[in-house]
Amino acid sequence: MTELMTELWAFMKERKKYWMFPIIIVLMLFGSLLVFAQGSAVAPFIYTLF
């Protein structure tokens, strides 16, 4: 995972694609929210948001 993040950062730095950083952060937040909601008692409350 660390290698992936390092290569992604090198790509964005070399190609000047800094606008991709917020998109990646939002996708990671949504992914972690879905993983967290999968096996917890908070799941019914999270599903009402969507």
Side-chain angles (χ1 to χ4, degrees):
M1 186 67 170
T2 309
E3 183 180 338
L4 176 68
M5 296 302 289
T6 306
E7 287 186 26
L8 187 62
W9 177 251
F11 169 76
M12 288 191 306
K13 194 166 86 172
E14 182 178 330
R15 305 267 193 226
K16 306 285 191 245
K17 304 264 185 199
Y18 297 115
W19 56 269
M20 290 175 69
F21 190 68
I23 296 170
I24 293 169
I25 295 297
V26 169
L27 286 175
M28 288 174 55
L29 286 173
F30 275 130
S32 63
L33 179 66
L34 289 174
V35 168
F36 176 70
Q38 198 77 31
S40 74
V42 186
F45 301 110
I46 293 175
Y47 290 135
T48 59
L49 294 175
F50 299 106

